[in-house]
Amino acid sequence: NIPTSKEGQIIADNQTLLIDASDINNGSGVIASSNNLALTADSISSSAGLLRAENSLTVNTQNLSNNNNAVIS
């Protein structure tokens, strides 16, 4: 079970977004919440992607690949 938003979007409007998976691939994609965002995975790849939360952003991972102008905010 690998959530993928590669060149796509996973967005929670006015809700908390929780993703718990073995791996998350967000290459050139968007994972965002207008409230809270919590990501838990062994590996998160967000090359040229956006991970964003308006309130609280929590990232729990062993390996974070965040390059090519990727943004975490």
Side-chain angles (χ1 to χ4, degrees), residues 2-3 15 22-23 26 38-40 45 47-48 55 57-58 62 65:
I2 301 173
Q15 298 180 27
S22 58
D23 297 302
N26 187 48
L39 304 174
T40 300
S45 175
S47 178
N55 292 325
L57 173 61
T58 304
Q62 297 288 327
S65 174

Side-chain angles (χ1 to χ4, degrees), residues 4 8 25 57 62 64:
T4 300
N25 182 353
L57 173 61
Q62 297 288 327
L64 176 62

Side-chain angles (χ1 to χ4, degrees), residues 23-46:
D23 297 302
I24 297 171
N25 182 353
N26 187 48
S28 299
V30 175
I31 299 177
S33 172
S34 61
N35 195 356
N36 302 313
L37 174 60
L39 304 174
T40 300
D42 293 334
S43 178
I44 298 174
S45 175
S46 189

